[in-house]
Amino acid sequence: LAKTTQPISMDSYEGQEVNITCSHNNIATNDYITWYQQFPSQGPRFIIQGYKTKVTNEVASLFIPADRKSSTLSLPRVSLSDTAVYYCLVVRYSSASKIIFGSGTRLSIRP
Amino acid sequence: DAGVTQSPTHLIKTRGQQVTLRCSPKSGHDTVSWYQQALGQGPQFIFQYYEEEERQRGNFPDRFSGHQFPNYSSELNVNALLLGDSALYLCASRQQGNSNQPQHFGDGTRLSIL
């Protein structure tokens, strides 16, 4: 599975748009890019997943360029409750799909 | 529709003891994976169960073992507990045949070793 690299931490302010970029240079053809959010003492919560181009749901957008070697999670108009750790993962959904977590990006939102 | 549930939420043990953690997968899911998350780190994959068999295993010693029951629920057993086993233990589930559906996580069991 491709290893992912993302910033260790980021700071922003309420109401701003936050973009977290992740690199995954060795992504394979069948791999998906998946983002999870984790609050302290809780399990990771699925945010969004994509294969190529752009995916949008009610909480975030995911931008994936044509070469798929990187991806950007975009959180529109963040609030204090978006303070959390965000994990970028490359997932291969085979008969033995497992996911490998990195250290994630610790996002801190200030008032 | 209940998500992934884990029990207990917290547990305190001493070195050398044994512990069993339990997980009920999300309704409709048949595959269960276990992860260990030390403080300040990302979750580390322990193993995965499907059709009551261990299908994949991460880099964890044999002290870590598991089981999956016919109703898809699962147990994680850890023997001869060490101080370094203190962590949040997470269970995740998914439906094996559902091609690209992501894993869903429970909120974990916080295990403290004294």
Side-chain angles (χ1 to χ4, degrees), chain A residues 53-98:
Chain A
T53 62
K54 177 184 174 182
V55 180
T56 297
N57 62 22
E58 63 276 8
V59 297
S61 295
L62 179 60
F63 299 91
I64 305 168
D67 67 5
R68 303 199 330 122
K69 293 184 183 299
S70 67
S71 60
T72 299
L73 173 72
S74 181
L75 305 173
R77 294 191 299 280
V78 294
S79 64
L80 295 177
S81 63
D82 291 315
T83 295
V85 178
Y86 292 80
Y87 293 99
C88 165
L89 307 169
V90 169
V91 183
R92 186 170 302 159
Y93 291 107
S94 63
S95 60
S97 61
K98 68 177 182 181

Side-chain angles (χ1 to χ4, degrees), chain B residues 2-47:
Chain B
V4 179
T5 58
Q6 295 187 240
S7 63
T9 54
H10 296 84
L11 201 52
I12 299 175
K13 292 284 188 178
T14 57
R15 283 180 296 174
Q17 285 190 311
Q18 178 265 344
V19 69
T20 297
L21 310 181
R22 295 176 175 82
C23 171
S24 292
K26 181 179 169 66
S27 178
H29 289 186
D30 55 10
T31 303
V32 173
S33 299
W34 287 92
Y35 295 80
Q36 180 195 66
Q37 186 173 27
L39 206 59
Q41 305 292 319
Q44 299 296 307
F45 175 76
I46 303 175
F47 43 53

Side-chain angles (χ1 to χ4, degrees), chain A residues 93-95, chain B residues 28-31 50 94-101:
Chain A
Y93 291 107
S94 63
S95 60
Chain B
H29 289 186
D30 55 10
T31 303
Y50 171 64
R94 69 181 294 266
Q95 186 179 16
Q96 188 67 268
N98 208 340
S99 57
N100 63 345
Q101 292 305 301

Side-chain angles (χ1 to χ4, degrees), chain A residues 32 34 36 38 40-46 49 87 93-104 106, chain B residues 33 35 37 40-45 48 56-57 88 90 94 96 99-107 110:
Chain A
Y32 284 78
T34 308
Y36 283 86
Q38 188 176 26
S41 297
Q42 293 186 22
R45 182 176 73 94
F46 171 78
Q49 176 175 274
Y87 293 99
Y93 291 107
S94 63
S95 60
S97 61
K98 68 177 182 181
I99 53 180
I100 298 175
F101 285 82
S103 298
R106 190 171 299 274
Chain B
S33 299
Y35 295 80
Q37 186 173 27
Q41 305 292 319
Q44 299 296 307
F45 175 76
Q48 180 186 83
Q56 280 198 99
R57 190 178 183 91
L88 180 68
L90 296 162
R94 69 181 294 266
Q96 188 67 268
S99 57
N100 63 345
Q101 292 305 301
Q103 292 191 22
H104 292 251
F105 284 81
D107 282 335
R110 171 72 62 187

Side-chain angles (χ1 to χ4, degrees), chain A residues 16-58:
Chain A
Q16 298 294 306
E17 178 184 77
V18 171
N19 296 310
I20 306 175
T21 297
C22 176
S23 67
H24 25 79
N25 291 319
N26 297 322
I27 190 168
T29 303
N30 296 331
D31 293 343
Y32 284 78
I33 300 150
T34 308
W35 286 78
Y36 283 86
Q37 175 194 55
Q38 188 176 26
F39 299 111
S41 297
Q42 293 186 22
R45 182 176 73 94
F46 171 78
I47 303 175
I48 198 166
Q49 176 175 274
Y51 182 78
K52 61 180 179 181
T53 62
K54 177 184 174 182
V55 180
T56 297
N57 62 22
E58 63 276 8

Side-chain angles (χ1 to χ4, degrees), chain B residues 34-70:
Chain B
W34 287 92
Y35 295 80
Q36 180 195 66
Q37 186 173 27
L39 206 59
Q41 305 292 319
Q44 299 296 307
F45 175 76
I46 303 175
F47 43 53
Q48 180 186 83
Y49 276 83
Y50 171 64
E51 292 184 327
E52 302 179 48
E53 289 187 13
E54 183 182 295
R55 298 292 178 165
Q56 280 198 99
R57 190 178 183 91
N59 189 25
F60 279 80
D62 291 345
R63 298 187 297 111
F64 290 78
S65 63
H67 189 78
Q68 185 180 34
F69 299 92

